[in-house]
Amino acid sequence: MHQPLSGLRILTLEQYGAGPYGTQLLASLGADVIKIENPSVGGDSARLAGPYFLGDHDSEFFQTFNRGKRSMSLDLKDRGDRRIFDRLVMSADACANNLRGDQAAELKVDYAHLSAVKPDIVCAHLSAYGRQGARMHWPGYDYLMQAEAGLMAMTGEPDTPPTRFGMSMIDYMGGTMMALGLVSAVLGAKRTGRGCDVDVSLFDAALHQLSYSATWFLNEGKCAERLERSAHPSVAPSQLFRTADGWIFVMCQLPKFWGAFCKAVGRPDLLDNPCYADMAARRANRAKLQDELDAFLSTRTTAEWMTVLGGVAPVAPVNSMACALSSPQARHMIETVPHPDKPDGLKMIRDPFRINGAPTPTRRAPKLGEDTRAILDEMLSDSHGDQAAE
């Protein structure tokens, strides 16, 4: 398969989740992602993130974020290793990191330093609070961003403590934004012959996710409220409803879906009720509508309602992770990746790309320094090729 980013080489200095998430997306699309790891500190700290380990300096957590990459052991504070790194930069299109904001300049992996080695290099930085300002030296993590950016205050039921997302979505969104910025800057560098710094901070990414709620607040002074049953702020019914054995999420975002829903569940009379005549009326009478829909939706199971409503109106069952991963709809996203310390292979979620209808190929994440010798041999071969050309 021809992959869209084949021929693109990206060096990374990254740890744990956010940066590795973004560069794994690029590796999945065909980029040669070389993970520079300092062996004196055990490489990426995610290698030691438990509770499930895979041999020496490897874990299921690490495998989740680093498939398709290569690992090279280098200590950038060592003179000899630094010379090797700088030579490697000459063959690269970009150098990405998720270092603390003040560390990229200290390690000389920003554009101010690497442009002397390669003028069209792109330096992509993902930090907690950016590389400028009073907080550039602060460490930071996903949950902190959810808290400070207002997302926790918006999440959960009314009159309960602020609630974080179930997963580290700011890490993942920050990594995705960094990856998009990197590829965009590489396109620009190929056009102009000049690279640049691309900066994304987790805090900025978190604020960006406030989206239309921020627009409403900035212009109308309307602060988002937590609504019962995870309801949409301006659409009804668009929320959780009880069934006989659990919950179902109904989203009648358009008038046609409200009509289709009422007819499918055998309640066309709701369409004639002036309390529910249009979106504004349904929103104003949200509590009354919730009670009415609860009363009859709770008479049948979630599966029964899904049979009635699936493909007719926008609905979804509220599944456990076990149910979600065993559903027919999810099966195409699960793959088994060969791994030397997992005889039956490591089951993983694929990256969500399809190129011409086919999923992108992948391979396990590398052992610490596994590709060092091969990359050094490539560098030596390239050097001989350059001398022959001269």
Side-chain angles (χ1 to χ4, degrees):
M1 177 193 295
H2 175 75
Q3 294 174 274
L5 297 183
S6 293
L8 189 75
R9 173 169 282 185
I10 301 165
L11 312 181
T12 70
L13 296 97
E14 57 187 19
Q15 297 281 331
Y16 214 64
Y21 181 91
T23 57
Q24 179 175 283
L25 296 178
L26 302 178
S28 181
L29 290 168
D32 178 20
V33 178
I34 300 177
K35 192 175 178 76
I36 306 299
E37 299 190 77
N38 185 349
S40 67
V41 297
D44 186 341
S45 59
R47 291 183 176 277
L48 301 180
Y52 305 109
F53 296 99
L54 296 163
D56 188 39
H57 286 88
D58 195 2
S59 70
E60 293 187 5
F61 184 95
F62 177 79
Q63 288 289 324
T64 301
F65 298 102
N66 293 283
R67 287 164 292 164
K69 302 178 186 179
R70 297 198 285 170
S71 173
M72 186 174 193
S73 293
L74 291 176
D75 179 356
L76 296 195
K77 294 182 179 179
D78 177 89
R79 285 187 179 182
D81 282 4
R82 180 69 202 209
R83 284 195 294 270
I84 293 172
F85 174 78
D86 286 346
R87 283 194 56 196
L88 197 56
V89 167
M90 295 173 66
S91 69
D93 297 284
C95 180
N97 73 81
N98 66 330
L99 299 166
R100 204 176 63 207
D102 58 334
Q103 290 183 332
E106 290 178 8
L107 276 179
K108 299 180 180 180
V109 292
D110 56 355
Y111 186 71
H113 291 94
L114 295 189
S115 61
V117 178
K118 192 171 191 285
D120 63 347
I121 193 73
V122 167
C123 299
H125 312 275
L126 177 59
S127 58
Y129 299 99
R131 294 187 303 123
Q132 299 175 334
R135 290 192 181 185
M136 61 184 289
H137 62 284
W138 283 27
Y141 294 95
D142 181 290
Y143 297 175
L144 305 178
M145 306 305 159
Q146 292 187 40
E148 190 170 3
L151 293 163
M152 280 190 183
M154 297 170 62
T155 308
E157 291 292 299
D159 303 319
T160 63
T163 305
R164 69 169 176 86
F165 305 154
M167 297 295 291
S168 300
M169 300 310 295
I170 302 305
D171 273 353
Y172 309 153
M173 183 57 67
T176 301
M177 290 180 172
M178 184 267 286
L180 175 61
L182 183 155
V183 170
S184 301
V186 168
L187 286 174
K190 289 187 178 299
R191 186 178 65 252
T192 65
R194 187 164 182 82
C196 63
D197 285 307
V198 175
D199 278 283
V200 175
S201 78
L202 292 180
F203 184 71
D204 290 353
L207 282 179
H208 190 260
Q209 300 316 296
L210 294 175
S211 189
Y212 62 84
S213 293
T215 304
W216 290 349
F217 175 77
L218 293 171
N219 292 279
E220 311 301 334
K222 172 64 175 177
C223 196
E225 302 171 340
R226 282 187 278 173
L227 299 174
E228 188 178 358
R229 304 278 189 86
S230 299
H232 192 281
S234 58
V235 178
S238 185
Q239 64 176 79
L240 288 166
F241 291 99
R242 292 186 185 277
T243 65
D245 63 347
W247 298 90
I248 193 170
F249 211 112
V250 177
M251 295 191 73
C252 296
Q253 306 300 100
L254 300 174
K256 68 176 182 178
F257 291 137
W258 170 239
F261 172 82
C262 291
K263 292 172 185 176
V265 299
R267 291 295 307 272
D269 58 294
L270 295 175
L271 297 173
D272 299 322
N273 189 324
C275 291
Y276 314 133
D278 55 26
M279 188 66 73
R282 291 193 292 277
R283 184 171 60 247
N285 293 285
R286 190 195 302 270
K288 175 180 171 65
L289 179 60
Q290 177 178 299
D291 290 343
E292 190 145 19
L293 295 185
D294 264 354
F296 72 87
L297 288 176
S298 61
T299 63
R300 302 173 74 173
T301 67
T302 299
E304 288 172 328
W305 284 124
M306 287 301 299
T307 299
V308 170
L309 292 167
V312 176
V315 296
V318 179
N319 285 333
S320 66
M321 183 166 60
C323 287
L325 292 177
S326 62
S327 71
Q329 191 66 22
R331 286 174 189 162
H332 73 285
M333 283 293 291
I334 299 173
E335 64 180 343
T336 300
V337 179
H339 191 287
D341 297 304
K342 196 82 169 173
D344 295 328
L346 188 63
K347 292 182 180 179
M348 311 280 282
I349 299 294
R350 296 182 187 275
D351 287 323
F353 306 112
R354 285 183 171 266
I355 308 299
N356 290 328
T360 54
T362 191
R363 62 182 187 277
R364 65 169 174 83
K367 294 292 187 177
L368 178 59
E370 180 175 349
D371 304 288
T372 302
R373 173 47 55 190
I375 295 169
L376 288 172
D377 289 344
E378 290 171 12
M379 293 171 65
L380 183 61
S381 176
D382 290 342
S383 176
H384 287 163
D386 291 342
Q387 291 173 7
E390 292 174 2

